[in-house]
Amino acid sequence: MKVVLTTLNAKYIHKNLALRWLYVSRIPEADVELMEFVIKDDLEQISDQIALRKPEVIGISVYIWNARQTRAWIAILKRKLPQVRILIGGPEVSYECAAWLDTGIEAVLRGEGEKTFWQAVRGDRDIDGYVSHDYISPVAYARVDLNWLETLGSPYWLAMDADSMAHRYLYLETSRGCPYHCAYCLSSADNQVRMFSEDYVLRQLAPLAKHAVKQVKFLDRTYNVMPQRALRIARFIETLPPTINFQFEVVADTISEAMLDFFEQEALPSRYRFEIGVQSLNVKTLEAVCRRQNNPRLIEVTRRLLNHGYLCHLDLIAGLPYEDLASFERSYNGLFAIAPSELQVGILKLLKGTSMMNLAEGWQMKFEFQPPYSVCETAWLSPADLEVVKCVDLATEKLLNSGRCRKCLQEVFQDHPDLSPFALMARAGAFLQRLPHPYQLKDLYEQLIAALLGDLEAQEAQARVNTDYLMQSAQRQKPLAITHVNAQQRKEIRRILVQQMDFDEQQVYNYTQIDFGWHAGQRQIQIVLADGELRRIWMNEEVLEK
């Protein structure tokens, strides 16, 4: 029996672990092939590729990011392969699946499918989580015994993945389920935390010593749910090649002091990236969504990790109950102040299967009825407020998270603590929205200058932004549309570099950019040498008056 397991990943670098679990749990009579695509692929063409395999059964993994394309894809597959049996599963179809039955599929498999998928392939009845036109399982969400999964071949080190290991993420799970009950999160529907054995996890990590994997992403909803176990795994990671980066989702305020001591005193910071879901600093909001969070401890732990050089990605969600725009601004500014490596600003998504969906009407939440189900309005946020949040999100991604203007922005707010980062990013985002795509680097910096003019004098705003701009490339940059050091002044500075500072004349004339910048609390002249590597020299403006 020919079976194709497939999905539409967001990007090529992603791999679908669920399909790999299905592959290693396959039944003997099935000839199984795993075929992954991405959401930008032409659906007709990839359907033709599948049709060439002449499958009897197709299994499709469905997620919020590929749901729309998957609906269209199923129609194409049924047109090209009228007799094929299509079984679907995944988070997007595990809680409200009735509408999917009209797409031409045979059934939806809700929950974990390592056993139920193959039972459905065989045509068994009474399958946990199984939903079709003529049968609905009384068990709403199937679960498997992790001890049984450990007896199967490893889904992480399949021969089919060997050639792409260096170019794709390795997703690893050491547990399933989540101990928390956050109302907006789908993981709260599966709050029975089950752990793979520590020995099994270490056996899956060990081959990293011999493979060219660059990025390992732990899928655990809370890596540090069992502190001592998490610490032992981290200690094992320290024995692996230092070129591999490991990403964990952690609850920062519950990280133990023993683990913090390890990260501060023993671990190599370049190995790790921590995802820390803050969502809000509003205590009433956190209580309303059943999120237990010690904000002072969270800030303390995050600061300590950042101070030791760890990458920390922090999340905020706009649209939660009791958080109006002013409250969200306080949350944003509170996190901005600790200078996280990345600050993600998202808008609440009302996901099927979450308790938030049942509370939405009482909180006057309006949301999109198609993926990603983003909130459009709440009792506390108007549509106009959410547009402001989108502007902040855009500016945060393009100016802060990208690293392009990080230094400039952080220094502005250090020197002007009365200013609001949120307000500035809202202005900058509104300006960025007007730019044509793709963005030009020069345009991004000029829009930041325009945003800063609402708070700073022109000379200071221009000089601060130009300081970051000229250090973005080892090549000469196109000058910004600002006040510049004039031609006569540049000539005099080049003369000083050659005659008084012994610089090579050809190097000075061919590879230097001379313009205003911001240094030591004042506008100064910056000389950037871009001859393959970037170097900078500062001169006071007074040098031109002598």
Side-chain angles (χ1 to χ4, degrees):
M1 181 188 305
K2 181 66 178 182
V3 179
V4 169
L5 304 174
T6 191
T7 193
L8 299 172
N9 292 326
K11 297 179 181 178
Y12 168 76
I13 57 174
H14 302 152
K15 288 192 295 192
N16 187 292
L17 180 58
L19 293 184
R20 284 162 174 77
W21 274 118
L22 293 186
Y23 183 83
V24 300
S25 62
R26 64 192 182 277
I27 54 179
E29 60 266 37
D31 172 17
V32 184
E33 185 171 358
L34 196 155
M35 302 177 70
E36 288 178 291
F37 305 100
V38 297
I39 53 177
K40 291 185 178 180
D41 282 336
D42 183 279
L43 298 180
E44 290 282 352
Q45 291 181 7
I46 63 177
S47 298
D48 286 339
Q49 293 179 42
I50 292 175
L52 289 174
R53 272 65 174 183
K54 299 180 180 179
E56 297 172 60
V57 181
I58 299 175
I60 304 178
S61 190
V62 189
Y63 298 83
I64 192 170
W65 64 80
N66 69 17
R68 180 179 57 82
Q69 294 92 333
T70 300
R71 281 182 176 274
W73 191 21
I74 290 170
I76 295 170
L77 288 168
K78 290 298 290 185
R79 171 164 48 82
K80 294 179 182 291
L81 298 164
Q83 303 305 314
V84 76
R85 300 167 57 200
I86 298 179
L87 302 169
I88 66 173
E92 178 62 16
V93 299
S94 284
Y95 295 95
E96 290 185 18
C97 56
W100 285 88
L101 297 176
D102 296 327
T103 61
I105 65 170
E106 178 178 303
V108 175
L109 295 164
R110 299 172 295 173
E112 299 169 12
E114 288 89 351
K115 284 191 173 182
T116 60
F117 177 82
W118 298 111
Q119 290 171 339
V121 169
R122 279 176 164 161
D124 294 350
R125 303 293 292 180
D126 301 326
I127 302 170
D128 288 355
Y130 184 95
V131 177
S132 68
H133 279 294
D134 57 3
Y135 180 79
I136 299 178
S137 169
V139 177
Y141 192 94
R143 292 183 176 85
V144 298
D145 183 350
L146 301 193
N147 292 324
W148 173 71
L149 290 181
E150 292 185 15
T151 68
L152 305 176
S154 172
Y156 306 107
W157 305 107
L158 296 172
M160 70 178 77
D161 292 324
D163 292 340
S164 63
M165 280 290 182
H167 310 292
R168 306 179 76 184
Y169 295 141
L170 177 67
Y171 292 102
L172 180 76
E173 54 180 353
T174 76
S175 66
R176 290 186 178 180
C178 181
Y180 299 100
H181 303 83
C182 303
Y184 52 82
C185 182
L186 199 55
S187 296
S188 64
D190 182 19
N191 57 17
Q192 301 178 23
V193 180
R194 295 163 294 147
M195 314 294 292
F196 284 91
S197 71
E198 191 173 326
D199 179 66
Y200 177 80
V201 172
L202 298 184
R203 289 204 311 271
Q204 305 315 307
L205 287 169
L208 286 167
K210 300 178 181 179
H211 288 80
V213 176
K214 296 177 181 177
Q215 179 77 62
V216 179
K217 292 195 173 187
F218 281 65
L219 295 181
D220 305 49
R221 287 304 182 182
T222 307
Y223 169 73
N224 59 311
V225 65
M226 294 181 64
Q228 294 181 346
R229 178 179 186 270
L231 180 55
R232 288 192 295 269
I233 292 172
R235 289 190 184 282
F236 182 82
I237 286 172
E238 284 297 302
T239 69
L240 298 170
T243 53
I244 307 171
N245 183 263
F246 294 83
Q247 178 175 307
F248 304 114
E249 187 170 338
V250 299
V251 176
D253 50 303
T254 65
I255 291 180
S256 66
E257 279 299 319
M259 179 170 280
L260 274 176
D261 287 344
F262 165 76
F263 284 123
E264 290 178 329
Q265 300 172 18
E266 302 176 47
L268 184 65
S270 61
R271 289 183 188 269
Y272 303 97
R273 180 178 185 269
F274 295 98
E275 285 200 2
I276 301 171
V278 182
Q279 320 316 355
S280 175
L281 295 179
N282 184 318
V283 174
K284 187 174 182 180
T285 294
L286 295 171
E287 291 175 351
V289 297
C290 303
R291 184 173 180 84
R292 302 193 302 272
Q293 184 167 288
N294 182 332
N295 287 336
R297 173 65 176 171
L298 183 150
I299 297 296
E300 176 202 351
V301 168
T302 305
R303 280 188 188 276
R304 288 170 64 176
L305 291 171
L306 289 166
N307 288 341
H308 281 80
Y310 290 94
L311 290 176
C312 294
H313 170 104
L314 275 57
D315 291 337
L316 284 174
I317 298 178
L320 295 173
Y322 303 107
E323 183 141 69
D324 57 15
L325 196 61
S327 170
F328 191 76
E329 180 173 4
R330 288 191 292 272
S331 291
Y332 182 93
N333 290 348
L335 296 188
F336 190 100
I338 64 174
S341 312
E342 297 172 355
L343 178 52
Q344 181 174 321
V345 178
I347 291 178
L348 176 66
K349 298 173 177 60
L350 280 181
L351 301 179
K352 301 169 184 176
T354 63
S355 59
M356 179 73 81
M357 182 65 80
N358 299 324
L359 299 168
E361 184 177 354
W363 287 328
Q364 300 174 40
M365 290 181 174
K366 299 178 182 179
F367 60 97
E368 299 168 347
F369 290 101
Q370 298 296 325
Y373 313 112
S374 298
V375 164
C376 307
E377 184 178 357
T378 75
W380 300 272
L381 287 176
S382 68
D385 291 336
L386 286 167
E387 286 302 316
V388 173
V389 172
K390 290 177 183 178
C391 289
V392 172
D393 173 35
L394 176 60
T396 302
E397 284 297 316
K398 297 301 180 183
L399 304 177
L400 184 71
N401 294 344
S402 68
R404 295 186 183 102
C405 305
R406 173 182 295 275
K407 187 172 184 293
C408 166
L409 289 167
Q410 290 175 344
E411 290 182 353
V412 163
F413 295 109
Q414 287 170 5
D415 296 343
H416 300 274
D418 54 319
L419 301 182
S420 165
F422 183 89
L424 172 66
M425 300 304 258
R427 284 200 303 275
F431 291 144
L432 292 176
Q433 282 184 337
R434 303 171 190 170
L435 293 178
H437 291 198
Y439 295 117
Q440 300 299 310
L441 189 65
K442 176 175 177 287
D443 293 337
L444 291 176
Y445 285 89
E446 289 179 345
Q447 296 309 313
L448 177 57
I449 291 174
L452 283 168
L453 291 178
D455 295 315
L456 307 181
E457 293 184 356
Q459 283 195 352
E460 179 178 350
Q462 294 174 358
R464 284 184 180 276
V465 174
N466 209 32
T467 303
D468 274 5
Y469 177 65
L470 292 188
M471 295 297 286
Q472 284 304 302
S473 171
Q475 307 298 322
R476 284 179 181 244
Q477 301 286 9
K478 295 179 180 179
L480 299 176
I482 60 175
T483 302
H484 299 285
V485 175
N486 64 42
Q488 183 60 38
Q489 291 170 326
R490 288 197 297 273
K491 181 178 179 180
E492 174 62 16
I493 291 167
R494 290 192 182 102
R495 186 192 66 77
I496 292 171
L497 289 171
V498 173
Q499 296 182 7
Q500 299 182 24
M501 302 178 69
D502 295 327
F503 276 85
D504 178 79
E505 185 173 3
Q506 183 177 1
Q507 180 190 41
V508 167
Y509 278 87
N510 292 340
Y511 300 108
T512 58
Q513 287 185 276
I514 300 170
D515 216 328
F516 292 120
W518 193 263
H519 180 65
Q522 63 180 342
R523 190 174 80 157
Q524 296 190 22
I525 298 166
Q526 58 175 333
I527 302 103
V528 176
L529 302 172
D531 55 352
E533 61 176 317
L534 283 173
R535 291 174 289 161
R536 178 156 54 195
I537 298 170
W538 292 99
M539 288 185 180
N540 288 326
E541 291 187 67
E542 288 77 9
V543 73
L544 299 175
E545 300 173 2
K546 295 178 180 179

